[in-house]
Amino acid sequence: MSVIGWLQISLLFLAVLVVVKPLGLYMAAVLSGERNVLSTILGPVERGLYGAAGIDPAREQGWLAYTLSMLAFSIAGFALLYAILRLQTWLPLNPQGFGNVPPDLAFNTAVSFVTNTNWQNYGGETTLSHFSQMMGLTVQNFVSAATGISIALAVTRSFARSAVPTIGNFWVDLTRSTLYVLLPLAVLVAVAFVAMGLPQTFRASVEATTLEGVKQTIALGPVASQEAIKQLGTNGGGFFNVNAAHPFENPTALSNYLNIFAMLSVSAALLYTFGQLVGNRRQGWPFIAVTYAFLIIGVGVVYWAEAQGNPILSQLGLDPALGNMEGKEVRFGQAMTSLYATVTTGLSDGGVNGMHGSFTGLGGLVPMFLMQLGEVLPGGVGSGLYGMIVFAILAVFVAGLMVGRTPELLGKKIEAREMKYAMLAVLILPAAILGFTAISAVMPSTVASIGTAGPHGLSEILYAYTSASGNNGSAFGGLSGNTLWYNTTLGFAMLLGRFAYAVPVLAIAGSLAAKTRASASKGTFPTDTPLFVGLLIGIILILGGLQFLPALALGPIVEHFAMLSGQTF
């Protein structure tokens, strides 16, 4: 580790912290329908979309209607994307002449992008046409992220309102999230990416001559526009197979910095938006404090582990001074690769600028564990916020048990109905991760897909289902996932992680919205204090750690101690 490395990490976290309040206030205003700086330009577009779709923006929905609208929109998005992938050969903008995507891979990919996961069992530059990348994947990058923001907004309203049967209008929330938040920011970031050297062209490729005189074909395409929303919407799916390690996706240290900043900014600012909309700005800061605590500790552990080098190689006489550089780009080094890995897994982004499977045992453990904590640090755009609220509900419930009072969060009593829905939501992740991992770890046909034997091979399988169920999308590396079994089961894991979690969350929103909001009293447990931050951290750790520690002990933890003793598998 170095002072320069820590300075880079610190400046990034500071930059995000600076934009949290202004961006959070902006989103609170536009998502509430207030007039803003873009209203003159985008207002007519918004009203035109409502008119074309037959939507009355003043008509609100109850939680069930809101949920059904969200599910119907997601199903339609899946069907459209699946059709684009299966009919790719006959669609325009296919200068490479790529064929149709096989059914199981098309299913996996369509589910992946509709659920904001962006798991990729294919190489983008060798599989998908420009049309599929733009009209299929990039469109879903916008609307899947906007869907997450919409759900978070509905949950936020349930705390801000008192004794009402509605939680908003899904179609209005979806439209405003896309038009006023994601689209303008994506345009700005895309222009910045182009200035930094990312391609934005309809050309299929360019011919280059290497220093050895060999002709090389280098794939091109509309990369910058997809990269912008990939990060802002915490999608993570790359235009190229090696994602942000590719020089056309992430050419310089500056573009790497912008990548990390973009993926953190909107999700972190939404935590402040929550406080603004519920009428207590201080309420967003505990969530931000929890996020920063986990991310700083996480990046510290990964950076330390990678800077120590590989103990096995050190015992063979390799100088450990440069640390573990396997699987890393030299233009980023340990510090920025460690930061990228921590942020992308604390979020549900999934983009990578290094190979997580090439990290040391301890270095690979942290990204996996951060995903298993529920992707709430700060999680995906929108999904991280409503995931954090679920943990907050559990935290005040525990606090209520300790003092013998009915738990309360922001004036809303947390009773049996809300607790049942909250527990249903948090049990989805371990059921999907551990269930699918257990089956895949014992079937000969699925074990044959791992790249390394022993605990590292188990980590490959465990990481894959952790990433899919958490709607992250990053891969440990080494696992050959493009098989009928993995394409199908990973797809179902993504569906469970997104919708089996979101539906009970919206049910909680409907239940809370119907309750009268009580004023704080002397007996109210404050949820904007350091005490609540500590309690919330404890709840997240207990639910994540106790459920997944046995599986982690068989994978990365065993690998860590084996490396220390010089043992290989």
Side-chain angles (χ1 to χ4, degrees):
M1 294 193 289
S2 68
V3 174
I4 296 298
W6 274 112
L7 182 61
Q8 291 175 311
I9 293 169
S10 301
L11 288 176
L12 190 284
F13 282 137
L14 180 61
V16 173
L17 202 59
V18 167
V19 303
V20 159
K21 182 176 180 178
L23 183 55
L25 290 175
Y26 169 77
M27 288 193 290
V30 301
L31 295 176
S32 299
E34 298 177 12
R35 187 170 180 81
N36 58 84
V37 294
L38 297 176
S39 294
T40 303
I41 301 172
L42 297 179
V45 178
E46 180 187 0
R47 293 188 292 272
L49 290 173
Y50 295 150
I55 300 298
D56 179 3
R59 183 179 179 182
E60 294 204 345
Q61 299 170 305
W63 82 267
L64 186 57
Y66 198 101
T67 301
L68 292 175
S69 297
M70 181 271 294
L71 292 175
F73 179 76
S74 300
I75 291 170
F78 164 80
L80 178 60
L81 180 51
Y82 182 82
I84 289 174
L85 297 174
R86 294 290 292 130
L87 301 173
Q88 179 174 254
T89 299
W90 301 288
L91 294 174
L93 292 176
N94 186 8
Q96 307 93 331
F98 291 143
N100 297 327
V101 179
D104 59 313
L105 181 57
F107 167 78
N108 181 278
T109 305
V111 168
S112 180
F113 280 80
V114 168
T115 58
N116 199 241
T117 307
N118 292 32
W119 174 274
Q120 295 175 284
N121 271 338
Y122 61 88
E125 68 269 44
T126 58
T127 308
L128 299 185
S129 67
H130 293 345
F131 187 88
S132 296
Q133 296 266 25
M134 295 171 61
M135 299 304 296
L137 307 190
T138 304
V139 167
Q140 284 303 318
N141 282 350
F142 277 98
V143 296
S144 65
T147 298
I149 295 175
S150 301
I151 298 171
L153 187 57
V155 177
T156 302
R157 289 194 189 101
S158 70
F159 289 99
R161 297 178 174 185
S162 182
V164 296
T166 60
I167 57 174
N169 185 312
F170 171 75
W171 306 108
V172 173
D173 294 341
L174 179 77
T175 302
R176 288 175 179 166
S177 299
T178 305
L179 268 185
Y180 293 100
V181 179
L182 297 175
L183 188 59
L185 290 175
V187 170
L188 292 175
V189 174
V191 171
F193 275 150
V194 170
M196 293 177 185
L198 275 70
Q200 184 68 19
T201 177
F202 285 142
R203 293 184 62 182
S205 60
V206 63
E207 294 289 336
T209 303
T210 68
L211 293 176
E212 293 81 9
V214 178
K215 293 292 184 181
Q216 183 179 13
T217 301
I218 302 175
L220 297 174
V223 180
S225 56
Q226 183 169 322
E227 284 299 298
I229 189 57
K230 155 191 165 178
Q231 304 296 35
L232 289 166
T234 61
N235 296 282
F239 192 94
F240 298 100
N241 188 34
V242 295
N243 209 279
H246 196 290
F248 282 177
E249 282 199 29
N250 195 6
T252 66
L254 183 59
S255 69
N256 189 64
Y257 227 67
L258 181 56
N259 267 270
I260 303 172
F261 176 82
M263 72 169 90
L264 258 179
S265 55
V266 179
S267 285
L270 274 170
L271 301 178
Y272 191 87
T273 298
F274 173 77
Q276 173 71 10
L277 291 179
V278 299
N280 180 4
R281 289 189 181 182
R282 292 179 59 186
Q283 188 58 55
W285 289 113
F287 294 162
I288 295 171
V290 171
T291 290
Y292 266 63
F294 276 107
L295 290 183
I296 291 171
I297 293 172
V299 71
V301 173
V302 177
Y303 188 18
W304 175 84
E306 297 307 299
Q308 300 306 303
N310 188 322
I312 297 175
L313 297 179
S314 299
Q315 292 175 21
L316 294 175
L318 189 68
D319 184 4
L322 294 178
N324 177 32
M325 283 301 294
E326 181 188 346
K328 299 178 180 65
E329 285 292 310
V330 293
R331 62 185 188 275
F332 307 137
Q334 279 104 3
M336 298 312 291
T337 305
S338 299
L339 178 61
Y340 203 114
T342 303
V343 170
T344 197
T345 50
L347 289 153
S348 67
D349 186 89
V352 294
N353 72 348
M355 180 62 70
H356 293 182
S358 293
F359 286 10
T360 61
L362 190 58
L365 167 68
V366 172
M368 196 184 311
F369 186 60
L370 289 177
M371 290 187 287
Q372 291 167 346
L373 291 179
E375 300 272 48
V376 293
L377 308 167
V381 169
S383 62
L385 173 56
Y386 62 73
M388 185 72 82
I389 292 171
V390 169
F391 281 114
I393 289 173
L394 296 174
V396 297
F397 176 76
V398 171
L401 290 178
M402 290 190 292
V403 299
R405 289 180 56 88
T406 301
E408 204 176 276
L409 182 60
L410 293 172
K412 297 296 181 81
K413 291 187 180 299
I414 307 301
E415 299 173 303
R417 182 183 179 90
E418 292 78 36
M419 284 305 302
K420 289 175 182 178
Y421 286 134
M423 288 310 301
L424 178 60
V426 298
L427 288 173
I428 289 299
L429 202 62
I433 293 171
L434 298 177
F436 283 124
T437 298
I439 297 172
S440 300
V442 297
M443 293 172 56
S445 59
T446 54
V447 171
S449 291
I450 64 175
T452 306
H456 194 89
L458 176 62
S459 294
E460 292 174 9
I461 299 173
L462 179 62
Y463 193 105
Y465 287 109
T466 298
S467 179
S469 302
N471 298 141
N472 184 274
S474 64
F476 206 56
L479 182 72
S480 299
N482 190 15
T483 66
L484 179 61
W485 169 263
Y486 283 112
N487 279 331
T488 304
T489 55
L490 287 169
F492 283 121
M494 296 175 214
L495 290 171
L496 289 171
R498 178 71 160 187
F499 300 113
Y501 196 104
V503 171
V505 165
L506 286 170
I508 292 173
S511 178
L512 291 177
K515 294 185 178 185
T516 301
R517 187 177 186 184
S519 300
S521 65
K522 291 183 178 180
T524 300
F525 177 60
T527 55
D528 55 2
T529 63
L531 178 61
F532 178 72
V533 170
L535 178 61
L536 186 53
I537 289 174
I539 292 295
I540 294 172
L541 279 175
I542 290 171
L543 286 175
L546 292 183
Q547 293 175 121
F548 296 104
L549 185 59
L552 293 171
L554 297 173
I557 294 177
V558 169
E559 184 180 0
H560 169 67
F561 287 108
M563 291 179 71
L564 291 178
S565 63
Q567 183 180 355
T568 59
F569 294 91

